[in-house]
Amino acid sequence: MSLPDQLLLSDLLSNTVRCDLGLDHGPGVMAWMHPPVHRLLGWVSRPSALRMSRDVWRLNQCCGFTDQQVFVRGEPAVTDQVMLERLPTLMEATLLDRDGERIGSVVDLDFRPADGAILHYLIARSDPRLPGSSRWRLAPDRILDQQPGQIQTALMGLDDLPMARASVRQDLLQRTQRWRDQLRVMGDRAGDRLEGWLEDSPMDDLRPEPIRSSLGDVESEAVSERESEVWDDDSWEETPSPRRRQDEDPWV
């Protein structure tokens, strides 16, 4: 099993640690890092929920990953939670802008498993436990000063950082804007085609014929058809007039 080129700390901590003896050492609970040089040294796992002891693993003990497990070589260093709380870390540190105002907090980091170099810190604006929240990437060279639980930068806001993952709301806004742009482009193309068609088509061809002349032609054709039907009927016979009586006065 080969190690990935890059890995998120959250993915490492979500896996169960299994040693070369096949023992289950529990899931990861926290990172072991050296903040001055932005390097991840290892991580800590919890072998049992009933005991206060913790297992500390060096990063070079990791030898492979699966979807749910991380495999290690050798034995861990056993310690307790009180000792781990003294370890320096930038996780959950408050991110400050150029004016000293809080703009987010460190919720995750992207590191290189081969040497533990931290490539980016992932910043969240709100509570990281909220599902679907956005993440921004903070490179170590953007940090001006760092103290336990606090990071000082020259940023004016989180918009100065590249986005690593958009929230559900932000993703919906971006998709809606793309749809609006596509509809606007389609409308402009349709308008250009209509203007070109109107320019190419002569206006004389679009003028309708006079209605009066058309109706006159129709009436004349109808009259001609009726006359032909009357005078061309084969059943037409001349009917003689009845004889008048002799005593009938013709002038009456």
Side-chain angles (χ1 to χ4, degrees), residues 48-59:
S48 176
L50 302 178
R51 293 182 298 177
M52 295 298 296
S53 62
R54 301 290 185 266
D55 293 345
V56 182
W57 306 91
R58 299 188 310 274
L59 192 59

Side-chain angles (χ1 to χ4, degrees), residues 100-165:
E101 299 293 335
R102 181 188 182 279
I103 58 176
S105 59
V106 179
V107 297
D108 204 349
L109 57 85
D110 185 11
F111 70 98
R112 193 164 49 219
D115 55 2
I118 298 175
L119 306 177
H120 299 93
Y121 293 97
L122 297 185
I123 310 299
R125 188 194 305 274
S126 57
D127 191 348
R129 295 172 296 181
L130 296 176
S133 58
S134 301
R135 298 288 187 271
W136 286 266
R137 292 195 300 267
L138 174 66
D141 55 3
R142 303 293 297 271
I143 299 176
L144 300 180
D145 187 20
Q146 57 191 30
Q147 299 176 5
Q150 184 173 295
I151 296 177
Q152 181 67 46
T153 65
L155 302 173
M156 298 183 62
L158 289 179
D159 294 336
D160 295 343
L161 299 176
M163 181 172 289
R165 187 186 70 189

